[in-house]
Amino acid sequence: MTIFHDLLRSAAERHAGRTAVLFGEERLSYEEILLRSESLASLVAAHGIGVQDRLAIVMDNSLEYVLAWLASSLIGCTEIPINQQYRGDLLYYLLGDSGATVVICDSGYLPHVLEVAGRLPSLKLILVNGDTGAEAASVPVTALSFHEAGSAFETPRNAPERVILYTSGTTGPSKGVIHTQRSMLVLARYNAAVLGYGTSDRLLNFFPLFHQNARYTGVIPAFCAGASIRIERKLSTSTFWQTCECDGITAFNYLGSVLRMILNTTGPERRAGTHSITRAFGAGASPAVWREFEERLGIDLFETYGLSEAPMASVNVPGPSRSPAGSAGRASELFEVSVFDENDDPVPPGEVGEIVLRPRRVNAIMAGYHNQDAATVEAFRNLWFHSGDRGYLSGQGDLYFEERGKDSIRRRGENISAWEVEATLEQHPAVAEAAVYGVSSTDLDEEVAVSIVPSGETADLGAIHAFAVDRLPAYAVPTLMRLVADLPRTATAKVKKDELRAVAREQHVAMAGALERKEAG
């Protein structure tokens, strides 16, 4: 029996008919989650899918997604959650690099999967939630019934129980972070304990289920605590408070600008004692927003710092001895935290350097990068995991995140690989070279900016933007674009993105000011 299968069985025994998951008007009890996951697992296994397979999921948030994920965990095969907005070369890379042998997808994403399927020698089957269509395919395509009763599920043996989570690439394509069901259960149980979740809690998650955040600090902690969790397809600020009131939501997860977006639609009458929410867990809360949530709304923020490779490395827990607002807190029970200089020597308190981590517990950190042994060894040099992020520690051990040292951008709760956006834009015939970088917006969110060297005398930015829209996830499409004759470079020919960022920031501020003056006039 796999780790998560045991978790589901134990939860069904303890909590039986208590609601486990809600989506829209649908809800499943703990007993129903177990039975339907086992049934779906048997149907998937009937197609010859077993522990040796690598199963990718390309779906929108739904109860069907939850069941597909849990069914694959029962089978014990290697699971690969895929960002459903990826298509074309980006989707091809993730499916090819992971060696996916089977894909479960919503019917709406089937055309994207079929577009790349012929170039994936390992792919042997596509299972579809919905209509399979009549299009001829290079790989067998079969409808998967999420409501059909399967035969008794046979517990696998020697299952890898692995999950490969793709994180943003920096100087190259995205890397697959290898975890196991056991390591993710360590995270989930710790998360549930820190947040103090119990059977009376009702959690809310609006992040996509390919995220570690949604899965292992959302759904699985709820199961560990016997709580209920409502899953939304995405954040709707216009209905956020209504949803919380109808369901009696007591906790939710956040990232970056989410808190500001919620505050923007929160009326002055909304204060502590007028709602059911008591706490929220996440990262990227600015001190001003933090104060609004805790002092006006009475919602305790549990701020954390971590990565896909090393989640919940630090945590800022409410209480009399908590770290200041704006800090990611102190080293958690899972990790040691330090800050090093370029020689891997610790820096004094208050001095900015690279954040490095070392696990305190077995299975707290990733097993390595999939198919990238050299990158794994480099990340763990000198027996510390090197995050690539920059920050500093106070004299009391409070961690303050400063910036990503990696070439990535944070927007709408997503880490965006500048390299992947550049590689996509440079496929356009009018683009000789593209330099992509983030420009600060509000509450730690960033706009995606690009400076383009045209291959001819000029280029049509509108056509290039449309090209990007067709090939990139919506959140990764550049919003600030400009043509340049050349790019500023260092002596080693590296693009000086700080200079490009400064120019773009000035233009962004000037445009915003002009818009404000126009609206005021």
Side-chain angles (χ1 to χ4, degrees):
M1 182 181 298
T2 66
I3 295 293
F4 281 177
H5 195 179
D6 182 61
L7 173 67
L8 292 183
R9 283 198 172 180
S10 298
E13 290 174 0
R14 293 195 308 271
H15 309 298
R18 179 179 290 127
T19 298
V21 180
L22 305 92
F23 183 85
E25 298 301 316
E26 301 176 275
R27 62 185 63 209
L28 293 178
S29 70
Y30 277 93
E31 282 183 331
E32 290 169 328
I33 280 283
L34 172 64
L35 293 175
R36 290 190 59 179
S37 296
E38 288 181 336
S39 182
L40 187 63
S42 70
L43 292 174
V44 173
H47 288 284
I49 306 305
V51 297
Q52 76 284 352
D53 283 289
R54 296 179 178 180
L55 188 154
I57 300 179
V58 186
M59 300 176 70
D60 287 321
N61 281 14
S62 61
L63 286 182
E64 287 77 14
Y65 190 126
V66 174
L67 293 171
W69 159 31
L70 296 177
S72 67
S73 74
L74 267 58
I75 292 171
C77 58
T78 298
E79 191 213 338
I80 309 110
I82 299 289
N83 184 334
Q84 75 275 18
Q85 294 193 52
Y86 274 29
R87 50 195 183 273
D89 287 344
L90 295 180
L91 178 60
Y92 165 71
Y93 169 74
L94 295 187
L95 294 176
D97 182 73
S98 63
T101 58
V102 58
V103 172
I104 298 179
C105 67
D106 287 330
S107 58
Y109 299 114
L110 178 59
H112 300 316
V113 177
L114 290 178
E115 180 185 352
V116 302
R119 295 188 283 158
L120 298 168
S122 62
L123 187 60
K124 64 183 182 182
L125 178 65
I126 302 172
L127 298 172
V128 183
N129 174 33
D131 184 13
T132 60
E135 184 178 351
S138 56
V139 175
V141 178
T142 303
L144 180 63
S145 174
F146 284 79
H147 299 280
E148 180 182 343
S151 57
F153 178 68
E154 297 184 9
T155 301
R157 293 183 178 181
N158 301 318
E161 302 183 21
R162 296 193 311 172
V163 57
I164 301 178
L165 302 168
Y166 277 89
T167 188
S168 297
T170 54
T171 57
S174 299
K175 293 191 288 290
V177 175
I178 301 173
H179 279 288
T180 64
Q181 291 183 30
R182 189 176 299 279
S183 66
M184 292 296 89
L185 186 59
V186 167
L187 168 63
R189 282 177 170 162
Y190 182 64
N191 178 264
V194 169
L195 273 294
Y197 292 146
T199 55
S200 61
D201 278 301
R202 180 69 60 86
L203 282 57
L204 172 65
N205 172 75
F206 37 71
F207 292 107
L209 284 165
F210 66 82
H211 265 216
Q212 187 181 72
N213 178 306
R215 288 171 166 237
Y216 308 118
T217 60
V219 174
I220 300 302
F223 290 175
C224 290
S228 303
I229 183 166
R230 169 166 285 285
I231 295 174
E232 299 276 84
R233 186 152 293 175
K234 61 180 181 179
L235 170 65
S236 171
T237 55
S238 63
T239 61
F240 173 80
W241 287 110
Q242 180 182 355
T243 298
C244 292
E245 288 173 354
C246 289
D247 286 325
I249 298 298
T250 59
F252 68 94
N253 285 12
Y254 65 87
L255 282 175
S257 60
V258 163
L259 297 181
R260 168 56 64 190
M261 293 167 64
I262 292 172
L263 281 180
N264 288 344
T265 56
T266 300
E269 75 286 350
R270 187 78 62 180
R271 295 191 171 275
T274 64
H275 57 82
S276 56
I277 306 173
T278 59
R279 56 218 188 275
F281 170 81
S286 67
V289 169
W290 199 314
R291 285 191 292 272
E292 281 282 290
F293 266 83
E294 293 205 333
E295 295 175 11
R296 178 163 76 91
L297 296 176
I299 298 174
D300 286 329
L301 298 189
F302 289 71
E303 183 86 354
T304 189
Y305 167 79
L307 309 91
S308 297
E309 297 93 328
M312 281 191 78
S314 71
V315 63
N316 195 338
V317 180
S321 60
R322 77 171 305 164
S323 301
S327 165
R330 296 169 189 158
S332 71
E333 293 181 14
L334 302 181
F335 289 93
E336 294 178 46
V337 179
S338 190
V339 177
F340 285 179
D341 63 17
E342 64 275 10
N343 298 315
D344 275 359
D345 290 322
V347 301
E351 185 173 319
V352 175
E354 182 179 15
I355 301 171
V356 295
L357 311 167
R358 191 155 59 186
R360 301 181 195 265
R361 292 187 188 176
V362 176
N363 296 308
I365 201 165
M366 71 167 181
Y369 292 117
H370 176 64
N371 284 341
Q372 297 199 36
D373 292 343
T376 301
V377 171
E378 173 65 14
F380 283 100
R381 65 185 181 274
N382 294 325
L383 301 181
W384 286 85
F385 174 74
H386 290 63
S387 70
D389 294 335
R390 296 181 63 77
Y392 66 91
L393 289 168
S394 71
Q396 292 71 42
D398 303 312
L399 177 65
Y400 289 85
F401 175 81
E402 284 287 297
E403 62 180 358
R404 281 171 294 281
K406 301 176 181 178
D407 196 8
S408 63
I409 303 156
R410 167 70 78 174
R411 186 182 183 208
R412 299 181 189 171
E414 300 285 353
N415 282 322
I416 301 165
S417 165
W419 184 92
E420 290 181 346
V421 178
E422 289 166 354
T424 298
L425 293 174
E426 287 171 0
Q427 294 176 31
H428 193 284
V431 178
E433 188 175 7
V436 174
Y437 43 94
V439 176
S440 298
S441 180
T442 57
D443 294 321
L444 305 183
D445 215 14
E446 295 178 300
E447 296 291 339
V448 181
V450 59
S451 293
I452 294 172
V453 178
S455 55
E457 292 185 1
T458 187
D460 183 347
L461 287 180
I464 296 171
H465 183 268
F467 183 86
V469 169
D470 287 340
R471 291 163 176 79
L472 291 169
Y475 59 80
V477 174
T479 51
L480 303 173
M481 305 175 68
R482 68 188 184 107
L483 297 174
V484 295
D486 201 0
L487 297 169
R489 300 179 188 276
T490 66
T492 57
K494 184 178 180 180
V495 176
K496 295 180 179 178
K497 292 192 174 180
D498 283 347
E499 290 188 12
L500 297 175
R501 191 176 290 110
V503 172
R505 189 179 295 115
E506 289 177 4
Q507 293 178 337
H508 187 45
V509 170
M511 290 174 61
L515 181 60
E516 289 178 1
R517 289 192 295 272
K518 181 178 179 181
E519 291 177 345

